Amino acid sequence: MTVFMVVLPILLILIFFSLFLAVSKGIKLKKNFWTAKRISIVTIGYIGLGLIAFIYLTFTNNNDDYKVLTSEEIEQLMKDEIEFNNFFSQKHGDKFNEKYLVDEWSMELSTDEVTFERESEDTYGRVFVLIDWRNDEASNEIYAKTYQIPYVYEGIDLTKELTKDQFEFTGDKLIVKKPPVQQFTFNSISPKMEMLEMNVQMPSASDDILNNAAVGSTFLYLNVPSHVTIIDEGELRFYP
Amino acid sequence: MSLNHKTFPQVVRVQTKWKIKAYSQALVPLLILQIIMAFLTSSGSGTTSLMINQVTVESYFYSVDVFLISTCIWAVITAFLIQTRGYRQTDLSAITNRATGNTANIISLIFFSFIAVIVNYMSLYILVASIQLIKGIDIFPNSELFNFMQFLVAFFIILLAASSGYFISSLFNLSKILGSLFVLVGGFLCIRVLDEQLLTIVKFYFEAGYFLFLVKALITAALLFALPVVFLNGKEEVRE
């Protein structure tokens, strides 16, 4: 990369000089081909083409597969994640923002015990489990609510790709599954100087939010009968 | 007493109009250079990647970096050439003195820098729209397609390059030894301490945010443009 950065300007200077000589002296289609009028026509034409491209890009970037979030939306997302963490630390699962509720389900236990496991330490980011006890001697059913803070990378919402089948309930075991190996490739347009953004620490600005990956968290809020024993082998409960 | 009394602003206005027309040929190499740069960066200006456990996200981005770097080199060379003997002598086609000639040059360079930054952005839009149309791949905008602050920053970067070229050219105009010495020392310093010093200079301009960059760039460009006006004011021009 460093070699490229050194060679590129030299290459550009050579190209430029060749072009300059070609245009001003050497290659002329006929005498005074590049008149001021023709140059202004070509330049205005180029700018016009650019404007058409701009309009095209403005109206064709409504991608159906992936949602692209604005810096304001990401900023809100980060605030909401902090709020989630606060309620989580205060054990107020009932105050979780319903906007992020992605699934509501239940597990019927065959015994009075449930085991929490994880297939691998490498789970999708962070999974937090919060328990809310209820007095219900007659039932062995656990009610679960999954809240998902979106995964955002450079403005692209990757949540649906990164949170597929996170949990499995089988044989009185709640398992956080190991994510499969996946690779995604995205192309993005960034009408600014990326080199500056990468090399210079800028003071906080809305653009910085876009540059940071908002790594979503999964909050699993479980409503469990008080007589059920939880064996947390996967250490999913931060506040047992 | 002359019947055709011309004030300083009137002379500058006439000369600027004339110079913009006369030097418009400089735009042709710029346009060709932009097209070459578009070909060179057709697979992306750069790439970033993120690994969340088993998931790899690769992102290719198209930014104005390469277009802007090539435009800066173009601006330096154009500003340098505008002060060379051949160009200077064409000043004598109109009513002129050093002050009006320099002022007209500066206004022309500001005008060309403005056109250049527009061409820069248009090149990026044309490139991305072409890739989307030809290759059929989706390209996300990871921020607004046009940001006025970024546009101003790019304009001032080009203006800084143009003012540097103009200053160096004026040094050569004043004394070839002084000019050569300045280029040699500057070149030596850049090569010797390229990684650290260059980054320090970039940090000096950008560490306090874009708005302060604009102020710093404006002061630097004004100084680099004004100094030649001051120290070349008394220098005579001999028509050969």
Side-chain angles (χ1 to χ4, degrees), chain A residues 25 41 110 132 192 211:
Chain A
K25 288 179 182 168
I41 290 169
S110 57
D132 181 26
K192 56 188 172 188
N211 294 331

Side-chain angles (χ1 to χ4, degrees), chain B residues 184-199:
Chain B
L184 282 174
V185 172
F188 173 76
L189 281 176
C190 269
I191 293 165
R192 180 89 176 163
V193 280
L194 188 68
D195 284 342
E196 288 170 21
Q197 283 315 95
L198 210 61
L199 200 61

Side-chain angles (χ1 to χ4, degrees), chain B residues 186-231:
Chain B
F188 173 76
L189 281 176
C190 269
I191 293 165
R192 180 89 176 163
V193 280
L194 188 68
D195 284 342
E196 288 170 21
Q197 283 315 95
L198 210 61
L199 200 61
T200 311
I201 296 167
V202 173
K203 272 189 179 161
F204 162 73
Y205 277 104
F206 288 98
E207 65 189 352
Y210 284 138
F211 183 74
L212 273 175
F213 161 75
L214 297 182
V215 176
K216 288 174 187 174
L218 188 68
I219 293 168
T220 315
L223 266 176
L224 290 172
F225 276 136
L227 281 174
V229 179
V230 175
F231 62 62

